[in-house]
């Protein structure tokens, strides 16, 4: 089949989801109010709570949630064929991710910008809240530690990406000053910023930068990981308008342009998808498509991490409640578009089926490298760009997505540390909370002599933990809707589906970890499974009580 068909069908479905389904959800289910005073105004502090233009905030939200996972997940999952991956990305984005991300943002804004972990205490009880925070902390630990490894690997394998990746920080700092300090409109900083970023990509392709074999006794990968965490720590301490917002915004524009370039290459090159729609000859050792498809592709179909970002940082910057539809739902659509591109690159970016099978000779064989190499071939064939430049463009895209997720992820982990301390009865300041978050991430990354790659040890649990968190987030939103007397089915059905698939996957993984002797993963799997089932039980009780109590039981407290 021609890849153009897949591209057009996918984009059309995502567009219909945004223009029609999200409008229905906004008007009939969440019932957004233009005059509602958001926490960005009522709790404004100039650091975390800052009213923000919806386009800038969309850039922050989109690039924060769209890390490496919406590329890695589809790149791995097409081993079962492009058909299941495509259907899960499209239907998941429209009916699962959009409602989830939008709902988490709305629920947090209606409750003084509280995170989903703290909201769980308000709506499903103290025990549920404590266990919810455990799941959140473990997921953030996986994201921060593992994404540092992914970025460092790409910086080493694609040294042409070093200049544009680090140069983007300088561009963001300048844009932040122009917009907030000098009150310059968005148009010219946006145009000039994107132009400079693409100039840096061209410059990077001419002057690759590779670290020495050892730096203070560390390998290049380890050195990059330390530098990345130092940067993320500093970024998480700065007011959001200084670096986080402008970096995410300008990256969002650059990345959307990059997607446009990739899509244009597909339209011009008109490549054929060489991979089968449904692969009946999967390599030995490949797990069953059910339930693994639904946890392998998390980000790009639905992801619990999105709810953490929506309720952790995005809700504190929402200027108007009606902006939540654009920021939350369209942010999910943007990630679906990225996953759609990953599917096309990893199935149509190969010359023959034999070439594709050589890469997908084992489960996990397809990864970010398959995306970069496949996309590079498509861009070269469609637009005639040098392959070196195409590889730099796509590697930079992947790194910037992952890096902006790390920026937000470490800030969120600091919030969780502070919230947990508050629940324990003592106060942890911003600096100490950041130090604790950094220490835990670095301890995992460099533990047991792993040389910085320790974050990948617990990565096999990311997909299931992420989807479980999405199910638990939807359970809280569902409780809120029930207590408000509104239709809960639009969140309740996705919640039930994800809960079943995630628990099923955790049980399957229990047997795998036991047979392989991976005792740390086995113990963590059991802890996550027990915590998730307990929270789900508490949520079910809250839903039943909500129905018995009737509408009007959920009180919005933005000004309390």
């Amino acid at each position: 089949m021609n890849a153009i068909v897949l591209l057009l069908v996918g984009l059309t479905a995502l567009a219909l989801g945004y223009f029609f389904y999200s409008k229905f959800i906004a008007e009939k289910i969440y019932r957004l109010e233009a005059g509602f005073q958001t926490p960005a105004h009522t709790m404004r502090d100039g650091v975390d709570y800052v009213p923000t233009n919806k386009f800038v905030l969309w850039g922050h939200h989109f690039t924060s949630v769209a890390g490496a996972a919406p590329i890695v997940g589809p790149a791995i999952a097409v081993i079962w064929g492009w058909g299941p991956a495509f259907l899960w990305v499209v239907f998941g984005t429209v009916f699962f991710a959009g409602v989830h991300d939008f709902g988490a943002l709305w629920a947090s804004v209606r409750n003084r910008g509280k995170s989903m972990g703290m909201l769980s205490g308000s709506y499903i009880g103290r025990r549920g809240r404590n266990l919810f925070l455990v799941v959140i902390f473990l997921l953030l630990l996986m994201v921060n530690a593992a994404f540092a490894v992914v970025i460092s690997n790409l910086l080493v394998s694609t040294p042409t990406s070093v200049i544009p990746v680090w140069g983007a920080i300088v561009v963001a700092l300048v844009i932040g000053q122009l917009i907030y300090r000098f009150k310059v409109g968005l148009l010219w900083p946006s145009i000039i910023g994107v132009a400079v970023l693409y100039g840096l990509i061209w410059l990077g392709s001419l002057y690759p930068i590779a670290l020495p074999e050892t730096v203070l006794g560390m390998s290049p990968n380890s050195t990059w990981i330390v530098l990345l965490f130092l940067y993320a720590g500093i970024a998480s301490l700065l007011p959001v308008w200084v670096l986080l917002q402008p970096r995410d915004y300008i990256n969002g524009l650059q990345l959307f342009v990059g997607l446009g370039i990739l899509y244009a290459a597909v339209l011009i090159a008109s490549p054929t998808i060489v991979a089968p729609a449904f692969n009946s000859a999967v390599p030995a050792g490949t797990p069953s498509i059910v339930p693994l498809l639904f946890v392998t592709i998390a980000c790009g179909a639905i992801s619990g991490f999105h709810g953490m970002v929506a309720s952790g940082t995005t809700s504190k910057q929402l200027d108007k409640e009606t902006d939540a539809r654009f920021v939350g739902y369209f942010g999910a659509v943007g990630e679906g578009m990225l996953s759609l591109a990953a599917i096309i690159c990893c199935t149509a970016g190969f010359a023959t089926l034999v070439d594709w099978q050589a890469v997908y000779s084992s489960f996990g064989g397809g990864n970010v490298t398959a995306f970069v190499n496949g996309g590079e071939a498509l861009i070269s064939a469609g637009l005639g760009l040098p392959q070196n430049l195409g590889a730099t463009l796509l590697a930079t895209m992947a790194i910037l997505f992952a890096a902006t997720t790390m920026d937000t992820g470490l800030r969120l982990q600091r919030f969780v540390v502070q919230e947990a301390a508050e629940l324990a009865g003592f106060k942890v300041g911003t600096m100490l909370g950041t130090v604790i978050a950094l220490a835990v991430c670095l301890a995992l990354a460099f533990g047991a002599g792993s040389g910085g790659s320790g974050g990948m040890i617990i990565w096999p649990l990311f997909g299931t933990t992420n989807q479980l968190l999405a199910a638990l987030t939807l359970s809280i939103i569902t409780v809120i809707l029930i207590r408000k007397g509104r239709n809960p089915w639009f969140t309740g059905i996705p919640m039930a589906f994800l809960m079943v698939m995630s628990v099923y996957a955790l049980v399957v993984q229990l047997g795998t970890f036991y047979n392989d002797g991976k005792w740390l993963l086995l113990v963590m799997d059991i802890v996550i499974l027990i915590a998730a089932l307990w929270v789900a039980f508490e949520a079910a009780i809250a839903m039943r009580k909500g129905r018995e109590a009737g509408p009007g039981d959920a009180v919005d407290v933005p000004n309390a």
Side-chain angles (χ1 to χ4, degrees):
M1 189 178 79
N2 194 295
I4 293 178
V5 176
L6 200 64
L7 175 63
L8 295 180
V9 171
L11 291 181
T12 300
L14 295 178
L16 291 173
Y18 177 72
F19 286 112
F20 296 100
Y21 191 61
S22 75
K23 183 179 180 182
F24 166 78
I25 296 294
E27 294 177 353
K28 304 299 183 182
I29 306 301
Y30 298 147
R31 301 179 190 176
L32 305 184
E33 297 177 17
F36 184 83
Q37 289 292 300
T38 64
H41 292 281
T42 60
M43 303 174 66
R44 184 171 186 164
D45 62 5
V47 178
D48 295 315
Y49 294 84
V50 179
T52 304
N53 178 285
K54 71 176 183 179
F55 296 103
V56 175
L57 187 56
W58 175 85
H60 155 71
H61 183 77
F62 169 55
T63 54
S64 293
V65 300
I71 296 173
V72 175
I76 293 174
V78 292
I79 196 169
W80 290 298
W82 60 261
F86 174 77
L87 291 173
W88 175 227
V89 164
V90 170
F91 283 97
T93 297
V94 173
F95 297 107
F96 287 62
V99 174
H100 169 274
D101 297 14
F102 185 4
L105 178 55
W106 166 75
S108 179
V109 166
R110 284 280 169 166
N111 290 272
R112 304 183 71 222
K114 288 184 178 179
S115 69
M116 295 312 300
M118 297 303 285
L119 278 177
S120 64
S122 302
Y123 289 101
I124 64 175
R126 184 174 59 186
R127 289 190 301 270
R129 175 199 61 200
N130 295 342
L131 292 167
F132 201 102
L133 287 175
V134 170
V135 177
I136 288 175
F137 186 83
L138 288 175
L139 182 64
L140 284 171
L141 189 60
M142 294 178 199
V143 168
N144 291 331
F147 276 22
V149 177
V150 171
I151 296 170
S152 68
N153 288 341
L154 282 171
L155 289 171
V156 171
S157 65
T158 316
T160 53
S161 66
V162 172
I163 288 178
V165 165
W166 292 99
I169 297 172
V170 179
V171 175
L173 288 170
V174 172
I175 289 177
Q177 295 298 314
L178 289 174
I179 293 175
Y180 287 98
R181 190 176 296 277
F182 297 103
K183 308 301 180 185
V184 178
L186 278 178
L187 180 61
W188 286 111
S190 301
I191 294 173
I192 295 172
V194 171
V196 171
L197 280 179
Y198 275 93
L200 290 172
I201 289 174
W202 173 76
L203 188 65
S205 67
L206 297 178
Y207 301 101
I209 295 178
L211 294 179
E213 290 188 9
T214 58
V215 178
L216 299 176
M218 295 187 295
S219 67
N221 291 77
S222 298
T223 304
W224 282 128
I225 288 172
V226 171
L227 291 175
L228 286 164
F229 274 119
L230 287 176
Y231 157 74
I234 295 170
S236 71
L237 291 170
L238 294 173
V240 290
W241 66 267
V242 173
L243 181 57
L244 186 70
Q245 277 185 4
R247 173 179 164 82
D248 291 354
Y249 170 65
I250 200 65
N251 282 348
L253 291 179
Q254 182 265 332
L255 295 166
F256 236 64
V257 172
L259 277 178
I261 291 173
L262 191 53
Y263 287 157
V266 172
L267 292 174
I268 295 171
S270 187
T272 298
I273 297 176
V274 299
F278 297 91
N279 189 10
S280 58
V282 294
T286 301
S288 171
I289 189 173
V290 177
L292 266 297
L293 170 70
F294 304 103
V295 298
T296 300
I297 301 180
C299 302
I302 182 171
S303 163
F305 181 73
H306 296 195
M308 294 161 56
V309 175
S311 64
T313 59
T314 308
S315 64
K316 298 173 176 60
Q317 304 169 59
L318 196 73
D319 184 29
K320 300 176 183 177
E321 188 180 55
T322 47
D323 292 345
R325 177 189 170 206
F326 178 77
V327 174
Y329 196 101
F330 192 60
V333 168
E335 185 162 82
M337 292 171 66
L338 176 61
S339 286
L340 177 61
I343 291 171
I344 292 173
C345 288
C346 295
T347 56
F350 296 86
T352 66
L353 175 60
V354 173
D355 293 331
W356 182 83
Q357 290 173 331
V359 172
Y360 287 87
S361 59
S362 63
F363 185 70
N367 49 39
V368 177
T369 303
F371 166 75
V372 171
N373 292 341
E376 172 190 351
L378 292 177
I379 290 174
S380 178
L383 302 178
L385 294 180
Q387 290 197 345
N388 184 44
L389 184 59
T392 302
L393 170 65
L394 293 173
T396 301
M397 280 179 59
I399 293 171
L400 289 179
F401 272 126
T404 49
T405 299
M406 273 190 70
D407 292 0
T408 303
L410 199 65
R411 188 180 290 258
L412 289 171
Q413 197 155 18
R414 184 246 295 173
F415 288 161
V416 172
V417 169
Q418 291 177 302
E419 289 172 351
E422 181 182 339
L423 294 175
F426 56 92
K427 184 176 179 63
V428 170
T430 300
M431 180 64 75
L432 179 57
T434 301
V435 170
I436 293 173
L438 274 174
V440 174
C441 289
L442 286 170
L444 173 62
F446 288 93
S450 57
S453 62
M456 302 310 294
I457 294 174
I458 61 174
W459 185 250
L461 280 170
F462 169 76
T464 45
T465 307
N466 198 18
Q467 301 303 66
L468 269 175
L469 187 58
L472 297 177
T473 296
L474 285 168
S475 73
I476 295 171
I477 300 170
T478 303
V479 170
I480 294 174
L481 292 175
I482 290 173
R483 289 174 61 175
K484 286 180 174 291
R486 300 178 191 173
N487 191 332
W489 290 108
F490 297 95
T491 56
I493 292 174
M495 173 200 70
F497 179 84
L498 283 176
M499 183 62 69
V500 170
M501 289 300 164
S502 302
V503 170
Y504 184 6
L506 274 176
V507 172
V508 170
Q509 286 181 316
L510 276 176
T512 302
F513 297 150
Y514 178 80
N515 292 333
D516 294 344
K518 296 179 178 179
W519 308 118
L520 173 62
L521 290 174
L522 180 68
V523 171
M524 289 185 66
D525 193 319
I526 293 172
V527 169
I528 293 169
L529 180 60
I530 292 173
L533 290 176
W534 198 331
V535 174
F537 177 71
E538 298 277 355
I541 294 175
M543 290 177 201
R544 180 175 58 81
K545 290 181 178 178
R547 291 193 199 95
E548 294 172 353
D553 210 25
V555 181
D556 300 323
V557 288
N559 301 311

